[in-house]
Amino acid sequence: MLVIGGPAANDVDRKLADRLGCRHVRAVSKLFPDGESYIRVPVDVSGEDLILVQSLFQPQDKHIFELLLLLETLKDLGARSITAVVPYMAYSRQDRRFLEGEAISVQVLLKHIWLAGASRLITVEIHKEEALRSFPGEAINARPYRHMAPVVQELARDPLVVAPDAGALARAAMLADCIGAEYDHLEKLRDRQTGKIRLRPKRLPVQGRDVVIVDDIVSTGGTVAEASKHIIAQGARKVIVAAAHLLLVGDALVKLKSAGVEAIVGTDTVPVPPGVKVVSSADVIMQYLPKCTV
Ligand code: R5P
């Protein structure tokens, strides 16, 4: 078995190969002056079982195309099987038609990952697990909470785990279960035209307590910042955030800090800035892959 890292593997490829004891190589990549992507596989892969790692953070469309180029090339070069490890699955939030005529983007993406040659897919904490039904092969959603638990426990004492909306309640339940805590949720309302969010007022038992806000993605930071303000206004002692994918677009970090968030726990499915506590997604993923025998 051979682990191949794509240009957006974010070093998860090397960590996975180390943990599994597998051979490892990076694809060669560059951008032409006009912005087109170039990919080359520098080793013989014929007859090999491959693990291809490519995450799909910004710029998503470029990283998606690199993934498709790699899959098609590996298939064409005679790989025996390809497991695509996609730590961050872009477009996962567009998993249905919220407004008439919209593309169901994640369906299109998963279909093309399959068509390009991946027979198996492993991703980390996809927005909704049901979306993986669009992938015709075996698809695994690796949950990060068991690995986040010790980090969260170091930062928060006897916390209440809070989801910012009912959709994230299952995530709160999973983390709460790992740390033996209680959990609850707020109610987020999103305007589908403007994307603006607001929280419906809701009392939570947070007075004098530490609170962990759990979500899958922190993008602009708006959701978690609103939740944090709400919780602090109700007398919480400390707020920390735990989310698998810290996209942290624009001034998201500043927004979180000014909303009273004291610490952020995430994973390396996407590149994260210094100061964030990072759990290795290779640790989360490796249980679904066989070790290499010498
Ligand atoms: C949406 O439903 C997701 O689970 C996250 O809550 C959302 O993507 C966070 O986005 P933002 O940080 O921009 O509020």
Side-chain angles (χ1 to χ4, degrees):
M1 207 164 60
L2 173 67
V3 177
I4 301 189
N10 201 31
D11 210 31
V12 177
D13 53 335
R14 188 191 53 77
K15 293 178 188 160
L16 253 188
D18 284 355
R19 283 157 174 78
L20 297 171
C22 295
R23 288 173 297 135
H24 169 238
V25 69
R26 287 252 159 90
V28 177
S29 69
K30 66 179 177 187
L31 261 192
F32 287 106
D34 60 357
E36 291 182 356
S37 299
Y38 166 93
I39 285 287
R40 187 171 77 85
V41 176
V43 290
D44 180 8
V45 295
S46 133
E48 294 266 12
D49 291 311
L50 303 176
I51 298 167
L52 171 63
V53 184
Q54 168 85 340
S55 202
L56 300 179
F57 48 83
Q58 282 182 304
Q60 296 87 335
D61 295 357
K62 172 176 175 285
H63 292 152
I64 289 169
F65 191 58
E66 289 166 345
L67 172 63
L68 299 180
L69 286 179
L70 274 163
L71 285 167
E72 287 280 0
T73 307
L74 295 171
K75 185 171 66 173
D76 202 35
L77 292 173
R80 191 162 78 147
S81 70
I82 313 172
T83 297
V85 171
V86 181
Y88 173 63
M89 184 63 70
Y91 289 106
S92 64
R93 288 163 290 178
Q94 188 66 33
D95 58 359
R96 61 193 162 101
R97 209 157 264 144
F98 300 97
L99 298 176
E100 207 180 323
E102 285 181 344
I104 307 176
S105 313
V106 73
Q107 263 185 23
V108 176
L109 176 56
L110 291 170
K111 181 173 131 193
H112 282 85
I113 293 174
W114 161 263
L115 287 173
S119 52
R120 192 168 181 244
L121 173 67
I122 304 177
T123 190
V124 176
E125 192 58 332
I126 191 166
H127 182 59
K128 283 212 189 88
E129 201 164 69
E130 302 84 277
L132 291 176
R133 290 195 201 121
S134 317
F135 185 78
E138 185 193 6
I140 292 166
N141 183 31
R143 307 278 192 173
Y145 302 108
R146 190 164 58 81
H147 298 273
M148 283 177 159
V151 186
V152 167
Q153 278 171 314
E154 264 191 25
L155 293 165
R157 193 165 24 92
D158 182 28
L160 177 70
V161 179
V162 175
D165 54 29
L169 187 61
R171 305 183 210 288
M174 280 182 258
L175 179 61
D177 185 50
C178 294
I179 61 175
E182 298 174 329
Y183 62 96
D184 208 326
H185 70 95
L186 289 166
E187 283 171 34
K188 176 172 89 174
L189 306 166
R190 187 182 289 273
D191 183 322
R192 286 282 158 207
Q193 300 285 354
T194 63
K196 279 223 156 67
I197 60 145
R198 63 188 174 85
L199 290 176
R200 188 173 276 152
K202 179 175 174 187
R203 301 289 313 164
L204 290 176
V206 295
Q207 177 70 42
R209 294 181 71 178
D210 290 358
V211 174
V212 184
I213 302 175
V214 183
D215 212 346
D216 56 335
I217 298 170
V218 180
S219 180
T220 64
T223 300
V224 164
E226 282 309 304
S228 177
K229 286 187 223 159
H230 204 77
I231 286 163
I232 287 171
Q234 293 186 40
R237 197 180 76 92
K238 180 182 193 181
V239 171
I240 74 161
V241 170
H245 313 293
L246 299 172
L247 306 184
L248 300 174
V249 174
D251 66 348
L253 258 190
V254 176
K255 221 184 265 175
L256 297 194
K257 289 224 166 90
S258 35
V261 173
E262 283 190 33
I264 305 170
V265 182
T267 75
D268 58 1
T269 58
V270 306
V272 289
V276 168
K277 305 270 179 194
V278 185
V279 167
S280 164
S281 57
D283 287 334
V284 177
I285 292 162
M286 65 176 285
Q287 59 179 309
Y288 299 103
L289 291 164
K291 292 214 166 178
C292 289
T293 46
V294 193

mmCIF file of all heavy atoms in Angstrom, residues 93 127 165 171 188 190 197 215-224, ligand 1:
data_model
loop_
_atom_site.group_PDB
_atom_site.id
_atom_site.type_symbol
_atom_site.label_atom_id
_atom_site.label_comp_id
_atom_site.label_asym_id
_atom_site.label_seq_id
_atom_site.Cartn_x
_atom_site.Cartn_y
_atom_site.Cartn_z
ATOM 1 N N ARG A 93 -22.153 21.775 2.760
ATOM 2 C CA ARG A 93 -23.361 22.441 3.293
ATOM 3 C C ARG A 93 -24.434 22.622 2.228
ATOM 4 O O ARG A 93 -25.593 22.810 2.554
ATOM 5 C CB ARG A 93 -22.981 23.795 3.921
ATOM 6 C CG ARG A 93 -22.239 23.635 5.233
ATOM 7 C CD ARG A 93 -21.525 24.881 5.643
ATOM 8 N NE ARG A 93 -20.385 25.142 4.769
ATOM 9 C CZ ARG A 93 -19.595 26.201 4.866
ATOM 10 N NH1 ARG A 93 -19.822 27.104 5.805
ATOM 11 N NH2 ARG A 93 -18.581 26.355 4.051
ATOM 12 N N HIS A 127 -20.639 17.716 6.892
ATOM 13 C CA HIS A 127 -21.739 18.499 7.450
ATOM 14 C C HIS A 127 -22.944 17.633 7.796
ATOM 15 O O HIS A 127 -23.475 17.697 8.908
ATOM 16 C CB HIS A 127 -22.126 19.607 6.466
ATOM 17 C CG HIS A 127 -23.223 20.487 6.971
ATOM 18 N ND1 HIS A 127 -23.105 21.204 8.136
ATOM 19 C CD2 HIS A 127 -24.457 20.747 6.477
ATOM 20 C CE1 HIS A 127 -24.232 21.878 8.341
ATOM 21 N NE2 HIS A 127 -25.052 21.619 7.355
ATOM 22 N N ASP A 165 -27.152 25.129 16.953
ATOM 23 C CA ASP A 165 -28.483 24.887 16.382
ATOM 24 C C ASP A 165 -28.823 23.403 16.540
ATOM 25 O O ASP A 165 -27.951 22.591 16.875
ATOM 26 C CB ASP A 165 -28.552 25.312 14.907
ATOM 27 C CG ASP A 165 -27.466 24.681 14.056
ATOM 28 O OD1 ASP A 165 -27.019 23.564 14.392
ATOM 29 O OD2 ASP A 165 -27.047 25.304 13.063
ATOM 30 N N ARG A 171 -23.605 16.326 17.229
ATOM 31 C CA ARG A 171 -22.167 16.536 17.470
ATOM 32 C C ARG A 171 -21.936 16.844 18.950
ATOM 33 O O ARG A 171 -21.002 16.339 19.561
ATOM 34 C CB ARG A 171 -21.642 17.724 16.670
ATOM 35 C CG ARG A 171 -21.901 17.637 15.189
ATOM 36 C CD ARG A 171 -21.271 18.834 14.474
ATOM 37 N NE ARG A 171 -22.015 19.180 13.283
ATOM 38 C CZ ARG A 171 -22.037 18.479 12.173
ATOM 39 N NH1 ARG A 171 -21.350 17.371 12.097
ATOM 40 N NH2 ARG A 171 -22.749 18.867 11.133
ATOM 41 N N LYS A 188 -30.642 28.466 15.878
ATOM 42 C CA LYS A 188 -30.138 29.440 14.903
ATOM 43 C C LYS A 188 -31.127 29.558 13.752
ATOM 44 O O LYS A 188 -31.644 28.551 13.263
ATOM 45 C CB LYS A 188 -28.791 28.943 14.385
ATOM 46 C CG LYS A 188 -28.179 29.782 13.300
ATOM 47 C CD LYS A 188 -26.756 29.334 12.980
ATOM 48 C CE LYS A 188 -26.701 28.282 11.917
ATOM 49 N NZ LYS A 188 -25.336 27.946 11.495
ATOM 50 N N ARG A 190 -31.431 31.101 9.848
ATOM 51 C CA ARG A 190 -30.626 31.702 8.775
ATOM 52 C C ARG A 190 -31.531 32.198 7.655
ATOM 53 O O ARG A 190 -32.430 31.478 7.219
ATOM 54 C CB ARG A 190 -29.631 30.684 8.214
ATOM 55 C CG ARG A 190 -28.658 31.309 7.214
ATOM 56 C CD ARG A 190 -27.698 30.300 6.610
ATOM 57 N NE ARG A 190 -26.690 29.797 7.523
ATOM 58 C CZ ARG A 190 -25.512 30.387 7.740
ATOM 59 N NH1 ARG A 190 -25.213 31.529 7.151
ATOM 60 N NH2 ARG A 190 -24.640 29.841 8.565
ATOM 61 N N ILE A 197 -27.501 35.296 9.969
ATOM 62 C CA ILE A 197 -28.064 34.415 10.994
ATOM 63 C C ILE A 197 -28.473 35.218 12.223
ATOM 64 O O ILE A 197 -27.958 36.311 12.477
ATOM 65 C CB ILE A 197 -27.053 33.331 11.425
ATOM 66 C CG1 ILE A 197 -25.792 33.983 12.009
ATOM 67 C CG2 ILE A 197 -26.693 32.392 10.314
ATOM 68 C CD1 ILE A 197 -25.205 33.186 13.115
ATOM 69 N N ASP A 215 -19.394 22.837 16.748
ATOM 70 C CA ASP A 215 -19.962 22.910 15.391
ATOM 71 C C ASP A 215 -19.051 22.117 14.458
ATOM 72 O O ASP A 215 -17.950 21.723 14.855
ATOM 73 C CB ASP A 215 -20.086 24.380 14.953
ATOM 74 C CG ASP A 215 -21.282 24.589 14.020
ATOM 75 O OD1 ASP A 215 -21.837 23.586 13.516
ATOM 76 O OD2 ASP A 215 -21.661 25.758 13.779
ATOM 77 N N ASP A 216 -19.497 21.876 13.233
ATOM 78 C CA ASP A 216 -18.625 21.173 12.287
ATOM 79 C C ASP A 216 -17.648 22.141 11.632
ATOM 80 O O ASP A 216 -16.465 21.842 11.463
ATOM 81 C CB ASP A 216 -19.435 20.421 11.217
ATOM 82 C CG ASP A 216 -20.398 21.304 10.450
ATOM 83 O OD1 ASP A 216 -20.814 22.356 10.986
ATOM 84 O OD2 ASP A 216 -20.760 20.950 9.309
ATOM 85 N N ILE A 217 -18.154 23.318 11.255
ATOM 86 C CA ILE A 217 -17.358 24.285 10.500
ATOM 87 C C ILE A 217 -17.435 25.651 11.179
ATOM 88 O O ILE A 217 -18.522 26.069 11.596
ATOM 89 C CB ILE A 217 -17.920 24.424 9.064
ATOM 90 C CG1 ILE A 217 -17.838 23.087 8.327
ATOM 91 C CG2 ILE A 217 -17.211 25.523 8.282
ATOM 92 C CD1 ILE A 217 -18.575 23.055 6.993
ATOM 93 N N VAL A 218 -16.307 26.333 11.290
ATOM 94 C CA VAL A 218 -16.351 27.763 11.608
ATOM 95 C C VAL A 218 -15.845 28.463 10.355
ATOM 96 O O VAL A 218 -14.684 28.324 9.981
ATOM 97 C CB VAL A 218 -15.488 28.126 12.828
ATOM 98 C CG1 VAL A 218 -15.581 29.624 13.094
ATOM 99 C CG2 VAL A 218 -15.929 27.349 14.062
ATOM 100 N N SER A 219 -16.735 29.174 9.687
ATOM 101 C CA SER A 219 -16.361 29.843 8.444
ATOM 102 C C SER A 219 -16.142 31.333 8.719
ATOM 103 O O SER A 219 -15.038 31.755 9.052
ATOM 104 C CB SER A 219 -17.447 29.596 7.394
ATOM 105 O OG SER A 219 -17.112 30.236 6.190
ATOM 106 N N THR A 220 -17.194 32.140 8.660
ATOM 107 C CA THR A 220 -17.023 33.564 8.986
ATOM 108 C C THR A 220 -16.948 33.783 10.495
ATOM 109 O O THR A 220 -16.618 34.875 10.946
ATOM 110 C CB THR A 220 -18.217 34.383 8.469
ATOM 111 O OG1 THR A 220 -19.396 33.936 9.171
ATOM 112 C CG2 THR A 220 -18.419 34.201 6.986
ATOM 113 N N GLY A 221 -17.324 32.770 11.263
ATOM 114 C CA GLY A 221 -17.335 32.894 12.719
ATOM 115 C C GLY A 221 -18.651 33.442 13.250
ATOM 116 O O GLY A 221 -18.845 33.505 14.469
ATOM 117 N N GLY A 222 -19.546 33.836 12.355
ATOM 118 C CA GLY A 222 -20.805 34.464 12.777
ATOM 119 C C GLY A 222 -21.632 33.582 13.711
ATOM 120 O O GLY A 222 -22.110 34.053 14.755
ATOM 121 N N THR A 223 -21.769 32.323 13.367
ATOM 122 C CA THR A 223 -22.608 31.411 14.162
ATOM 123 C C THR A 223 -22.082 31.273 15.583
ATOM 124 O O THR A 223 -22.805 31.477 16.566
ATOM 125 C CB THR A 223 -22.634 30.016 13.482
ATOM 126 O OG1 THR A 223 -23.176 30.165 12.173
ATOM 127 C CG2 THR A 223 -23.449 29.025 14.284
ATOM 128 N N VAL A 224 -20.792 30.951 15.669
ATOM 129 C CA VAL A 224 -20.216 30.692 16.981
ATOM 130 C C VAL A 224 -20.122 31.993 17.799
ATOM 131 O O VAL A 224 -20.335 31.992 19.015
ATOM 132 C CB VAL A 224 -18.836 30.012 16.793
ATOM 133 C CG1 VAL A 224 -18.021 30.073 18.051
ATOM 134 C CG2 VAL A 224 -19.039 28.564 16.345
HETATM 135 C C1 R5P B 1 -23.900 25.405 9.045
HETATM 136 O O1 R5P B 1 -24.978 24.869 9.221
HETATM 137 C C2 R5P B 1 -22.640 24.895 9.653
HETATM 138 O O2 R5P B 1 -22.878 23.807 10.472
HETATM 139 C C3 R5P B 1 -21.917 25.981 10.423
HETATM 140 O O3 R5P B 1 -22.709 26.383 11.515
HETATM 141 C C4 R5P B 1 -21.668 27.170 9.549
HETATM 142 O O4 R5P B 1 -21.044 26.792 8.360
HETATM 143 C C5 R5P B 1 -20.801 28.194 10.257
HETATM 144 O O5 R5P B 1 -20.621 29.271 9.383
HETATM 145 P P1 R5P B 1 -20.219 30.698 9.936
HETATM 146 O O6 R5P B 1 -18.970 30.501 10.745
HETATM 147 O O7 R5P B 1 -19.987 31.511 8.692
HETATM 148 O O8 R5P B 1 -21.352 31.211 10.728
#
